[in-house]
Amino acid sequence: MVLKMLFFLWLSCLFSLLHIAHGERSYSFPEEMKRGSIIGNIAKDLGMHTGMLSIRRARIETEGSDQHYCDINVRNGELIVAERIDREGLCGKKPSCILRQELLVLENPLELHRISLHVQDINDNSPQFNEKMIILEIQESTDRGARFIIEEAHDEDVGQNSVQQYSLEQNENFILAAKGNTVELVLDKELDREKQKEINLLLTALDGGSPQRSGTVVIHVTVLDANDNAPVFSQAVYKASLPENSPLDTVVVTVSATDADEGVNGDVTYDFGHVSEDVRKKFAIDRKAGEIILIDAITKSYEIRIKAKDGLGLSSYAKVIISITDVNDNAPIVSLKSLTNPIPEDTPAGTEVGIINVQDRDSENNRQVRCSVQQNIPFKLVPSIKNYYSLVTTGNLDRELVTDYNITITATDEGSPPLSSSKTFQLSVADINDNPPVFEEQSYSAYINENNKPGSTLCSVSARDPDWRQNGTVIYSLLPAEVNGASVSSYLSVNGDTGVIHAVRSFDYEQFRSFQVYVMARDNGSPPLSSNVTVSVVFISDVNDNAPQILYPTLEGSSFMTELVPKAAHGGSLVSKVIAVDADSGQNAWLSYHIVKATDTGLFSIDLHSGEIRTQRDILESDSMKQNLIVAVKDNGQPSLSATCSMYLLISDNLAEVPELKDISYDEKNSKLTSYLIIALVSVSTFFLTFIIIILGVKFCHRQKPRLLFDGAVSIPGAYLPPNYSDVDGTGTLRSTFNYDNYLTTGSRTSDFKFVQSYNDNTLPADQTLEKSLPAFADTFGDLNDSPEV
C-alpha cells in the first residue's frame, strides 16, 4: 500500500511539471438567457472527473477582460450563464458574435482550455427610423419615376431578425422601391402643387423574426418648385485614425459635399445619419463646416453615417470610419493565482511554489510583456501557458538564515515608453529539525569549595538551537558515567530547562579533587538531535577542615618518648625536632611551631617553620635536670587549627646519673632535706662500685655496637605518612640535612633506653632518649594534663 501511495505521489509530481493547453471548445446559445442557465457540460465534453474540478481549483477567465459572462459549477461541471448577455451591446451588427473564454485548471497539473461562446441573436429589437418624421420637399416639376432616397430603418438584431421589408401606405403619387439597404420613394405620378401642397405617407419597416416586429415613420412631402440637384460628397467613405488618448474637442475628420443648385437649393448642411446613442455621446458634427469633433474618450472603432442636405431637402449620405490607434496607457497587471505558503526549508530546487498571471489591456506591441523577479533570492520565473508564469525554487532554502522572502514580481510591456508594475508578496519558510543544539563553549570548568551544601550551584551550561519552536527547544541531561565507582547522578544533577548544574552531595577535598562529567543537550524535534559537552574538571577548593597531625613525639600506648640532653650542650645545639603534617593543602597545610609552655623559658627555642628544638644558651649546672616543653603546631588556614604535644628532656651526660624513675619520683613539698642527704650518702656508698661497672659496660657496648636497633629516633615509616605529602623545607617535615639514630642501652634492667645521634655539626654527639611508662613520667615531670595532644 505504501509503495502504491509513493508511486501515485511520484506520478503527481511528474505531471505537475507539465502544463497542458487543449483545443478550443465551442458552444452556441441565444442571448438574454437568465442567470444560471446551462450552456453545456464542459467537464463531460473534456472528459474530466467532476470531483477533481474543485480540488484542482478550476475557474473561468475572460480573455483580456475582467467581465465574467459565464462560470463553471465545480460540483457537476456545467457551464452556466453568469450575467445577462446582450448580443447587440457586445457585437453590434457583426454577423457573428463570439465570446472568448478560458477554463483554467490551476493545479496538478496546470491546464488551459479555450472556450468559444457563440451568442445567437433573438428578435428582441423592433425596427426603428432615425427620425420620427421624414420631411421631403419635392419640386412639382419633378418627372415621373424620380427617386428619393429614404433613410432605412435600423434594427439592432442581425440576420433574419433585422429589417427584411418595407411597406408604404397606399397613395396616388408614390410607390416604394426597396433593394438591400436602400429604400427609395418613387414618384409614380407627377405632383401638382396647386392641387396638393403637402402629402403625408406612412412608411412601415418589418423584420423577419418570429414573432415579427415593425417600426413606422411618417414621410411628409412638401411640394416645391424645382430643386433638381442633391448634395454630392467628395468621397463615399471617409477614414480617420485617432489615438485613444486624444484630448476632447479634437477634430477627427472633416466631410465635404457640394450642391449644383444655387441659392437655398445649394446650401448644404451636415448631420449624422442613423447612428447609435453611443456615437452621439462620443462625437459631435459641425452642421456648416462638416467637422466631426471628439467630445468624450473612446476605446473602440466606430463607423458613422453622415448626411448632407441642401436647403430644399435633397440629401445624400457618406460613411465615416474612425479607427482607434492604441496608446501604451495601461500598465501590466500582475495577479497571484496560486501560492504554496509556507514551504519547507528542505524543498528541492526546481519546485513550483506559485503561479503568476500578467495582463495588459493594450494591443499589439504595447501588450507584449516581460516578467521578472528581483535578484539575490532563490526563486525564478518560468514562462508557462500564454501569459502565465511559474515561480520555482532555484536553490536550497535555510530558515535559520532567511525566515521570510518578500518576492517582488515586475512586469514591463514593450510600449514606447514602456510601462511597468510590480506585485510583492511574502513567502515564509517552514522549519525542519536540521540543526543540533550547539554549546556556547567547547568545554566548561566548575569550581567549588569542599564541604559545600547539597544543592549548591556549580556552573551553568548553555546550548543554542537555531531551529524554531519545539525543534529549537533544548533539554539538558547528564550522560551516564561513574565517579569513584558511583553513578555520576549521585554527585551532580542538571536542570533540564536552564542547564544549571547542582551538587547532589557535599564534597571532600581529601577524598578526590577533580572529576569530569558529560552533559547532553537535546532538542524536541522529530527525530531529536543532540550534542555533548565536557564539564571538565570540577576543581574542589580545599577548606581548612583538618587540624595538624603530630607524628613525633607520639604517644605509644601509655609510654612517652624522652630525650637526653648532655650537660655540656652549647647554645644553638639541636636537641630534638617536632614533626607534624596536615591533610589539607596549600596555605591550609603551612605549619608553624611555637613553645607555649616550658620549665625554663629561656633555655630552649623552636624553629618557627622546621620544628627543630635547639638550646638558646649553654646548659648550666643550676639548670633543672627535668625539662618539660609544651609545643603547639598551627596551620595557616582561616580560621587556624592547631595541635599540641609535650617534649620531655633530661639533662644528663650518662645513664649513671639517671636514677630509677620510680625512685626519683617524689613530692618535694612533703620531703625533708635531711632525708635526701641520708639517702644520697647511702646510695653513693652502697652503689658506687656498681655504677662504675655499669658506666664501663655502657661505654664498651657503645664502641662495639654503634647501631643496634634502627636509624632515626624520629624517623617515620613510609607507610605512616600520607602519600601526598613530600619532605619540603618549611612545611613541618624533616630537613634532609638531619638524621637521628636510636640505640639500645646495655645493662639496663628494662632495656628501653634510646640514644640519639645527629650527623649535623651543631648537634650534640651523644644525645640519649629515655622511654618510660606514663605513671613514671607523671611522678617525675608532674601532671601530664597540662600538655594534652589535640
Side-chain angles (χ1 to χ4, degrees):
M1 186 63 183
V2 174
L3 292 175
K4 289 183 178 180
M5 292 178 66
L6 292 174
F7 182 71
F8 178 76
L9 291 174
W10 178 81
L11 288 178
S12 300
C13 294
L14 178 62
F15 284 105
S16 65
L17 300 176
L18 302 177
H19 304 286
I20 306 172
H22 297 276
E24 191 173 87
R25 297 285 175 173
S26 299
Y27 296 90
S28 297
F29 62 98
E31 66 175 332
E32 302 294 342
M33 293 181 69
K34 294 181 179 180
R35 289 184 180 179
S37 299
I38 299 174
I39 298 174
N41 194 308
I42 185 69
K44 181 178 180 181
D45 295 340
L46 294 176
M48 298 176 67
H49 193 279
T50 57
M52 296 298 293
L53 294 176
S54 176
I55 298 174
R56 296 180 61 188
R57 299 174 62 189
R59 65 175 70 175
I60 297 295
E61 300 278 353
T62 302
E63 182 177 356
S65 174
D66 294 333
Q67 194 79 17
H68 289 274
Y69 295 101
C70 67
D71 205 346
I72 186 172
N73 189 332
V74 294
R75 294 190 301 274
N76 52 31
E78 291 178 346
L79 198 63
I80 60 175
V81 175
E83 63 182 57
R84 174 180 174 271
I85 299 177
D86 183 12
R87 184 191 182 284
E88 289 74 27
L90 291 174
C91 303
K93 298 296 290 183
K94 292 181 181 180
S96 176
C97 184
I98 301 176
L99 296 178
R100 304 290 182 184
Q101 305 284 301
E102 294 174 347
L103 173 61
L104 182 63
V105 182
L106 290 178
E107 297 179 354
N108 298 321
L110 173 65
E111 294 183 12
L112 180 68
H113 301 273
R114 295 184 177 87
I115 304 172
S116 295
L117 302 180
H118 295 264
V119 183
Q120 299 174 349
D121 183 55
I122 63 173
N123 192 25
D124 58 340
N125 292 285
S126 299
Q128 292 182 352
F129 290 90
N130 190 39
E131 300 174 344
K132 294 182 179 180
M133 180 180 289
I134 301 175
I135 298 176
L136 296 178
E137 295 178 347
I138 304 174
Q139 293 283 347
E140 63 178 346
S141 60
T142 302
D143 295 334
R144 182 185 175 192
R147 294 175 176 267
F148 304 92
I149 298 176
I150 304 299
E151 184 176 1
E152 74 273 15
H154 177 73
D155 194 335
E156 295 291 335
D157 299 321
V158 296
Q160 191 66 27
N161 294 327
S162 63
V163 176
Q164 298 297 318
Q165 59 181 337
Y166 295 86
S167 64
L168 184 65
E169 182 183 13
Q170 189 174 3
N171 62 87
E172 295 179 358
N173 301 98
F174 298 91
I175 60 174
L176 190 65
K179 184 178 182 182
N181 290 331
T182 303
V183 180
E184 296 179 331
L185 192 63
V186 181
L187 184 60
D188 188 57
K189 180 182 179 181
E190 292 80 4
L191 299 174
D192 185 0
R193 181 178 179 278
E194 286 73 19
K195 183 177 178 182
Q196 190 176 7
K197 292 183 179 181
E198 298 177 348
I199 301 173
N200 290 322
L201 305 174
L202 182 64
L203 178 62
T204 303
L206 301 170
D207 62 21
S210 180
Q212 192 176 50
R213 293 176 178 269
S214 63
T216 61
V217 66
V218 175
I219 302 174
H220 180 77
V221 180
T222 302
V223 181
L224 302 174
D225 287 338
N227 178 27
D228 53 357
N229 291 290
V232 178
F233 281 96
S234 60
Q235 57 191 71
V237 177
Y238 294 87
K239 293 183 178 180
S241 181
L242 186 66
E244 64 174 332
N245 62 345
S246 297
L248 302 182
D249 297 329
T250 298
V251 176
V252 181
V253 66
T254 300
V255 299
S256 176
T258 59
D259 194 312
D261 294 324
E262 293 181 357
V264 177
N265 295 330
D267 291 336
V268 179
T269 58
Y270 304 94
D271 198 358
F272 291 119
H274 182 79
V275 293
S276 65
E277 188 65 26
D278 184 46
V279 172
R280 293 186 180 276
K281 290 180 179 179
K282 302 293 184 181
F283 302 96
I285 188 169
D286 189 318
R287 297 179 64 85
K288 291 294 183 181
E291 294 177 345
I292 299 176
I293 303 170
L294 181 67
I295 61 174
D296 196 7
I298 56 175
T299 57
K300 63 181 181 177
S301 299
Y302 290 90
E303 186 176 308
I304 304 173
R305 193 168 189 184
I306 304 299
K307 179 175 70 172
K309 179 181 178 183
D310 62 20
L312 295 179
L314 295 180
S315 60
S316 61
Y317 296 88
K319 184 184 294 184
V320 176
I321 299 175
I322 302 174
S323 60
I324 302 301
T325 303
D326 183 55
V327 176
N328 192 28
D329 58 348
N330 291 286
I333 300 174
V334 181
S335 302
L336 180 63
K337 297 298 183 182
S338 177
L339 180 66
T340 302
N341 193 13
I343 57 175
E345 60 178 323
D346 61 346
T347 300
T351 302
E352 181 181 83
V353 297
I355 297 176
I356 310 298
N357 177 258
V358 182
Q359 297 284 349
D360 195 313
R361 296 183 184 276
D362 295 319
S363 60
E364 299 178 353
N365 287 339
N366 296 332
R367 194 176 186 180
Q368 301 301 316
V369 178
R370 300 187 306 273
C371 202
S372 63
V373 66
Q374 81 264 32
Q375 299 295 322
N376 301 323
I377 61 172
F379 300 94
K380 68 176 181 179
L381 287 176
V382 178
S384 185
I385 301 172
K386 200 177 177 180
N387 50 357
Y388 286 88
Y389 295 83
S390 294
L391 182 66
V392 299
T393 58
T394 60
N396 296 326
L397 306 177
D398 191 345
R399 193 205 67 84
E400 287 69 47
L401 296 178
V402 181
T403 58
D404 298 282
Y405 290 94
N406 288 322
I407 301 175
T408 300
I409 306 296
T410 302
T412 305
D413 62 27
E414 295 185 0
S416 181
L419 299 178
S420 64
S421 63
S422 301
K423 185 176 183 65
T424 301
F425 55 90
Q426 189 181 69
L427 184 62
S428 299
V429 181
D431 183 56
I432 63 170
N433 192 28
D434 58 346
N435 290 282
V438 177
F439 284 93
E440 294 181 351
E441 298 182 19
Q442 294 183 351
S443 64
Y444 292 84
S445 296
Y447 300 88
I448 189 172
N449 293 329
E450 68 171 335
N451 302 325
N452 58 289
K453 293 182 179 180
S456 58
T457 299
L458 270 69
C459 69
S460 176
V461 298
S462 179
R464 298 190 180 276
D465 193 319
D467 292 323
W468 195 42
R469 291 188 176 174
Q470 67 177 17
N471 293 335
T473 301
V474 179
I475 299 175
Y476 303 93
S477 61
L478 289 174
L479 290 180
E482 287 189 357
V483 176
N484 284 359
S487 173
V488 68
S489 60
S490 64
Y491 290 90
L492 302 176
S493 67
V494 62
N495 189 304
D497 297 325
T498 63
V500 176
I501 299 177
H502 299 276
V504 175
R505 63 168 65 175
S506 178
F507 296 106
D508 187 355
Y509 183 80
E510 286 69 46
Q511 290 184 0
F512 59 90
R513 302 185 182 183
S514 64
F515 59 90
Q516 283 186 340
V517 296
Y518 297 92
V519 178
M520 179 179 69
R522 176 181 58 84
D523 60 29
N524 265 339
S526 180
L529 301 178
S530 63
S531 61
N532 301 334
V533 72
T534 301
V535 180
S536 67
V537 190
V538 177
F539 298 98
I540 304 173
S541 302
D542 183 46
V543 173
N544 191 29
D545 57 348
N546 290 281
Q549 180 181 359
I550 297 175
L551 304 180
Y552 182 85
T554 181
L555 175 65
E556 297 180 356
S558 60
S559 299
F560 282 89
M561 304 294 293
T562 303
E563 300 285 351
L564 293 182
V565 181
K567 294 180 180 180
H570 299 287
S573 298
L574 178 63
V575 175
S576 183
K577 181 176 182 177
V578 177
I579 302 175
V581 295
D582 195 312
D584 295 319
S585 63
Q587 67 178 11
N588 294 330
W590 297 350
L591 303 181
S592 60
Y593 301 83
H594 309 272
I595 296 177
V596 297
K597 188 176 181 181
T599 303
D600 187 346
T601 57
L603 182 57
F604 298 100
S605 66
I606 189 167
D607 188 275
L608 179 66
H609 301 295
S610 66
E612 294 178 347
I613 301 175
R614 294 177 180 271
T615 58
Q616 297 188 77
R617 57 177 174 80
D618 294 344
I619 296 178
L620 303 176
E621 290 293 336
S622 60
D623 289 331
S624 174
M625 179 189 303
K626 300 173 293 182
Q627 295 291 329
N628 182 15
L629 302 181
I630 298 178
V631 178
V633 183
K634 297 181 180 181
D635 60 26
N636 198 37
Q638 293 295 331
S640 176
L641 300 180
S642 64
T644 60
C645 66
S646 294
M647 293 291 295
Y648 299 97
L649 304 177
L650 291 177
I651 300 176
S652 176
D653 287 332
N654 52 63
L655 293 177
E657 298 178 356
V658 180
E660 288 293 336
L661 292 181
K662 60 182 179 179
D663 295 333
I664 55 179
S665 178
Y666 60 90
D667 188 356
E668 295 180 354
K669 295 180 181 180
N670 299 323
S671 63
K672 296 181 180 179
L673 180 59
T674 302
S675 300
Y676 283 117
L677 293 175
I678 295 172
I679 294 173
L681 290 174
V682 174
S683 298
V684 169
S685 301
T686 308
F687 299 106
F688 177 78
L689 184 60
T690 304
F691 282 139
I692 295 299
I693 296 172
I694 292 174
I695 291 172
L696 293 176
V698 168
K699 289 187 177 293
F700 179 79
C701 291
H702 175 69
R703 291 178 180 179
Q704 296 297 323
K705 296 179 182 179
R707 292 178 177 88
L708 299 178
L709 185 61
F710 56 87
D711 291 340
V714 291
S715 297
I716 307 302
Y720 191 85
L721 289 173
N724 56 339
Y725 292 92
S726 60
D727 186 14
V728 179
D729 186 22
T731 61
T733 58
L734 284 175
R735 290 186 180 182
S736 59
T737 56
F738 294 98
N739 270 326
Y740 298 89
D741 295 333
N742 299 338
Y743 300 92
L744 279 177
T745 62
T746 58
S748 171
R749 292 180 300 168
T750 57
S751 298
D752 55 3
F753 292 99
K754 294 181 182 178
F755 298 89
V756 180
Q757 177 67 41
S758 171
Y759 297 112
N760 187 280
D761 295 338
N762 295 325
T763 307
L764 293 177
D767 289 344
Q768 297 174 336
T769 301
L770 179 64
E771 182 179 303
K772 271 296 179 179
S773 63
L774 182 61
F777 278 106
D779 294 339
T780 305
F781 292 97
D783 191 1
L784 294 178
N785 292 331
D786 295 338
S787 57
E789 182 177 345
V790 180

